[in-house]
């Protein structure tokens, strides 16, 4: 596009830029740089997630500036505004982690409020950390204006003693140190080398999982989800993303055309293939709810049973996301799925073409001299890795990540904790032994509030060599970096009187992956009697964002949304 861009008369900003030529609206816009000619151009919002509080977002400002320049060059009027981020990795294990999932809603609300308030015609969202992506997609779904997401990019791996490191290496090193398997100097060396620069956490953790899911949905450009923040191609990708908005405006391609049921099924299939984060379940359910699609937690189990896991990526595998990018990225994964009939090729994307059209030049097979993407006929697992478990502990469902796990069933005594901190203290002080089933409750969406991630205790278990010898169940969440015999998102949560609130120390509990069940070995009568005596804990916050959240938030089984 050039300055010869033809005005679209049904665009949202028309009433401001043309409909009231003598109104103060235009005077206000002149103060921020509009000239006479600019009032004929579409107003395009740039939601800029730049923030110095995390390396995931510290490199986004330059990308937002590139988007702004390209929008002006292509004939639009860019209007940049900021949105927030909360670093999961930095807040992990602290009270601050309660704000992480809450930030998804704040991000969505802020983008929606600005775009509605300013009558934006289109929006480009530039994000990095975990909640930036689902927050942006929720806003796009609500707004239904031409929209595109730009992922800020992944971090490059740290290196120490010839091995790749990620932020999870630091958490697991704490467990190794407390177990005596490494010394303080080794712990310090891992900490200093794990995160070498800007970008989101480097394995197939939540940020890279969600960027991959968004590319699979068709809401970002092909190859964009696995690029490194610090590589020049990310700048070029941002420029192309901004330019892509103009054909979308001309053709009026909006999220309702892209975010169909088939698109979400594609996203789930890709998450299964790459071994993505359990958080994808929560976020995909949340985003899809705003498109009024009947996608439920059970759809993950249906798709899991037909889609193999064939990408060998951390946390359970060997490689990091930049390795996946160098072997063809998400388009290569999608082409392999498409050829096997495991992907819907007719879905529209932000390119104005379908998935199949975008993938037409991608080879059907990946090079045999790499080990990141395995042949789909020889996968790491013939089924996906995110298993939905139900039973008396989780009648609404719970999520287990089983990639790399050999133990498929564990039965043992419950070790019950009412907070993450209590549990971590017990693990560090060797009070948890092989065969125990750790239960961390009152950490759900409402009870936490905020559904904290349990990376600190799960990493401590792995560091102590108990990753497959101890089960862990929680109504909280897990980091995308978590691996081990762990089950999260238990619903109903403890704060709402779910059975997880009624389990007592020493009760026998069973995690059975093969039968997709999660049960406390209690009779219905035992559960009934305990429920009659149970009272919920007082809500933890009286005022402010966490108080509002705990009053509004829904069950994790439908995405932990706040406007059900």
């Amino acid at each position: 596009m050039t300055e010869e861009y033809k005005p679209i008369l049904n665009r949202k900003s028309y009433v401001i830029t043309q409909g009231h030529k003598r109104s103060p609206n235009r005077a206000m816009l002149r103060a921020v740089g509009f000239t006479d000619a600019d009032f004929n151009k579409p107003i395009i919002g740039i939601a800029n997630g730049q923030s110095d509080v995390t390396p995931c977002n510290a490199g986004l400002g330059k990308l937002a500036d590139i988007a702004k320049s390209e929008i002006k060059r292509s004939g639009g009027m860019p209007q940049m505004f900021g949105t927030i981020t909360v670093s999961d990795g930095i807040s992990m294990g602290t009270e601050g982690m309660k704000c992480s999932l809450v930030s998804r809603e704040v991000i969505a609300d802020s983008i929606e409020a600005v775009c509605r308030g300013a009558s934006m015609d289109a929006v480009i969202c530039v994000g990095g950390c975990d909640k930036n992506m689902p927050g942006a997609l929720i806003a796009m779904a609500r707004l239904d204006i031409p929209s595109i997401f730009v992922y800020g990019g992944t971090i490059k791996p740290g290196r120490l003693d010839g091995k790749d490191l990620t932020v999870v290496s630091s958490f697991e090193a704490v467990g190794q140190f407390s177990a005596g398997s490494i010394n303080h100097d080794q712990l310090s060396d891992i900490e200093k080398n794990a995160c070498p620069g800007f970008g989101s956490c480097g394995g197939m953790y939540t940020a890279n999982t969600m960027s991959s899911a968004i590319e699979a949905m068709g809401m970002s450009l092909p190859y964009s989800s696995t690029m490194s923040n610090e590589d020049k191609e990310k700048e070029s990708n941002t420029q192309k993303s901004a330019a892509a908005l103009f054909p979308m405006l001309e053709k009026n391609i909006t999220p309702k055309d892209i975010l169909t049921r088939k698109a979400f099924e594609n996203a789930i299939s890709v998450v299964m293939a790459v071994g993505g984060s359990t958080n994808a379940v929560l976020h995909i359910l949340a985003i899809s709810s705003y498109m009024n699609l009947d996608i439920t937690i059970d759809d993950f189990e249906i798709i899991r049973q037909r889609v193999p896991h064939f990408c060998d990526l951390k946390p359970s595998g060997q490689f990091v996301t930049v390795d996946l990018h160098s072997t063809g990225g998400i388009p290569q994964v999608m082409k392999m799925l498409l050829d096997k009939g495991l992907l819907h090729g007719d879905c529209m994307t932000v390119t104005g073409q379908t998935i199949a059209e975008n993938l037409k030049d991608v080879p059907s097979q990946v090079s045999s001299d790499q080990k990141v993407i395995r042949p789909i006929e020889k996968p790491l697992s013939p089924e996906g890795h995110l298993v939905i478990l139900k039973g008396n502990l989780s009648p609404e469902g719970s999520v287990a990540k089983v990639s790399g796990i050999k133990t498929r069933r564990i039965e043992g005594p419950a070790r019950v904790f009412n907070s993450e901190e209590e549990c971590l203290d017990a693990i560090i002080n060797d009070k948890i032994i092989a065969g125990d089933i750790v239960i961390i409750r009152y950490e759900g969406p409402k009870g936490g509030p905020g559904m904290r991630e349990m990376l600190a205790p799960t990493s401590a278990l792995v560091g102590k060599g108990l990753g497959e010898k101890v089960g862990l169940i929680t109504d909280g969440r897990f980091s995308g970096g978590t691996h081990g015999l762990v089950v999260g998102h238990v619903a109903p949560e403890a704060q709402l009187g779910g059975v997880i609130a009624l389990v007592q120390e020493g009760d026998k509990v069973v995690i059975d992956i093969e039968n997709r069940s999660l049960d406390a070995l209690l009779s219905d009568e035992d559960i009934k009697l305990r429920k009659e005596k149970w009272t919920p804990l007082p809500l933890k916050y009286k005022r402010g964002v966490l108080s509002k959240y705990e009053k509004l938030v829904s069950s994790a089984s439908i995405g932990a949304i706040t406007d059900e």
Side-chain angles (χ1 to χ4, degrees), residues 473-493:
I473 300 167
T474 182
D475 53 8
R477 298 182 293 131
F478 295 117
S479 162
T482 291
H483 59 111
L485 193 57
V486 297
V487 183
H489 305 205
V490 170
E493 62 173 291

Side-chain angles (χ1 to χ4, degrees), residues 47 100-113 115-116 123 125 130-145 147-149 210 214 217 219 255-256 259 264 279-292 549 553-554 558-564:
S100 168
L101 187 59
V102 176
S103 75
R104 184 190 76 181
E105 310 310 303
V106 177
I107 292 164
D109 291 351
S110 66
I111 295 171
E112 180 192 9
C115 289
R116 285 195 192 280
V123 65
C125 298
D130 294 8
K131 307 308 171 295
N132 296 182
M133 282 156 281
L137 266 289
I138 287 171
M140 291 171 180
R142 291 174 182 171
L143 290 162
D144 199 34
I145 57 177
S147 309
I148 194 166
F149 184 79
M210 289 312 299
I214 290 169
M217 289 179 200
M219 289 297 294
K256 75 175 185 300
L259 294 177
F264 283 101
N279 283 307
V281 178
L282 196 73
H283 298 322
I284 288 173
L285 287 172
I287 298 163
S288 67
S289 73
Y290 293 98
M291 301 311 297
N292 298 314
Y549 186 84
V553 69
S554 71
I558 59 171
I561 56 178
T562 54
D563 56 354
E564 182 188 359

Side-chain angles (χ1 to χ4, degrees), residues 275-433:
S277 166
T278 53
N279 283 307
V281 178
L282 196 73
H283 298 322
I284 288 173
L285 287 172
I287 298 163
S288 67
S289 73
Y290 293 98
M291 301 311 297
N292 298 314
L293 302 170
D294 187 26
I295 292 176
T296 72
I297 197 169
D298 296 322
D299 287 306
F300 286 81
E301 183 60 34
I302 293 168
I303 293 172
R304 180 192 75 83
Q305 293 180 32
R306 67 177 184 244
V307 176
H309 170 207
F310 57 92
C311 295
D312 191 9
L313 298 165
K314 290 181 182 291
S316 59
Q318 301 181 65
F319 300 100
V320 293
T321 305
V322 291
D323 298 321
L324 175 62
H325 188 65
S326 68
T327 56
I330 294 303
Q332 181 64 70
V333 174
M334 292 177 71
K335 183 60 175 283
M336 294 166 72
L337 290 169
L338 182 67
D339 284 353
K340 292 295 182 180
L342 298 173
L343 210 68
H344 302 292
D346 58 344
C347 294
M348 178 56 63
T349 73
V350 292
T351 66
Q353 296 184 307
T354 65
I355 291 288
E357 290 168 336
N358 287 344
L359 298 176
K360 68 180 186 302
D361 295 327
V362 176
S364 293
Q365 296 296 327
V366 70
S367 170
S368 60
D369 62 359
Q370 57 78 48
K371 299 180 180 179
V372 184
I373 304 176
R374 295 197 176 191
I376 201 167
E377 299 82 9
K378 297 179 181 178
L380 291 160
S381 171
E383 295 181 336
H385 65 298
L386 297 181
V387 182
I388 305 304
L389 306 181
K390 292 189 176 182
N392 66 9
L393 268 175
S394 59
E396 291 180 15
S398 58
V399 186
K401 184 178 181 180
V402 300
S403 47
I405 294 298
K406 295 180 178 136
T407 304
R408 312 296 282 188
R409 186 184 188 278
I410 185 169
E411 177 179 334
R415 303 297 311 281
V416 181
F417 304 93
N418 285 349
S419 74
E420 177 187 11
E421 288 86 354
E422 292 176 26
C423 177
L424 182 60
D425 181 71
I427 296 169
I428 294 298
N429 290 292
D430 297 318
K431 295 179 181 178
I432 303 300
I433 62 173

